[in-house]
Structures are given as structure tokens and as C-alpha cells.
Amino acid sequence: MRFLIVNLMVALCGFSALAEDEYLPIAVGHEWTMNATIVSPTGELFEGTAHRKIEGTVEKDGKTYFRSRTLIDAGPMKHEYTKLHRKDEKAFYFLDESKEGAAEQVEIVLPLK
């Protein structure tokens, strides 16, 4: 599932020659609607949409994160989740706040190449 979101974000943002500070712009109120294709472990394909909205900010461990809610609706596969995201010049990070004590993880290494 993690790779699906990364692929969706990369497809959404593309690989244009943007300045580093323009990679994956993130701010409260930003929304993305994306086409989604999910491949099950058995090879079954599910087509649908994914919608992500940045709803607000959260301070955690001295860092400012953006709370993003994502809803994936691909046929019988409906999934909604919330994550905290932040970025700096090195990476786009996420923190799964639904898991107690979860550690920050790198989602996308920057700059995109």
C-alpha cells in the first residue's frame, strides 16, 4: 500500500525540472484527486480514485507536520487513513499517528531525479 501512495504522488507531481523548493508542495488546504490502480497479491486489478486533503498542522517532537487524510475508493477496496507529513531539502517524511510510538519514516528522497 505504501508504494501505491508513493507512485500516486510521483505520478501527480511528475518529473519536471522544478526548483527544489517546488517539489511536492504542501500546505493546509491543498487537495489532490488521482486515478488509482491497485494490484492485489493475486494479480487482481482494481481501478478507482484516491483523494488526499491537507487538513491542518500538528507540532510533534519539535517538528511541524501537515495532517493529510487520504481516501482510496477502488471497487471493493475502500480505505481511508490519516498521516502526518513534513518535508525538508532531503526528503518527504511521514508519521502514522494511528500507531502509538510510531517513528518518522522517509516516503520520498529529495531531490527527485
Side-chain angles (χ1 to χ4, degrees), residues 27-72:
V28 175
H30 282 184
E31 291 187 57
W32 299 267
T33 301
M34 304 160 271
N35 293 327
T37 301
I38 298 173
V39 182
S40 76
T42 62
E44 199 173 2
L45 291 176
F46 299 98
E47 301 284 335
T49 59
H51 182 85
R52 176 177 280 174
K53 182 174 183 177
I54 307 299
E55 298 181 334
T57 60
V58 175
E59 292 288 327
K60 195 163 188 130
D61 299 325
K63 300 173 185 170
T64 300
Y65 290 89
F66 292 88
R67 178 174 281 124
S68 69
R69 182 174 312 278
T70 302
L71 171 63
I72 299 172

Side-chain angles (χ1 to χ4, degrees), residues 75-89:
M77 299 185 75
K78 292 184 186 199
H79 184 66
E80 183 173 351
Y81 60 90
T82 302
K83 287 186 180 177
L84 301 178
H85 288 98
R86 73 173 187 91
K87 73 172 192 170
D88 62 20
E89 65 281 348

Side-chain angles (χ1 to χ4, degrees), residues 5-23:
I5 299 306
V6 171
N7 289 337
L8 290 171
M9 290 177 67
V10 171
L12 172 68
C13 297
F15 288 102
S16 63
L18 296 173
E20 186 173 305
D21 62 343
E22 295 178 29
Y23 286 145

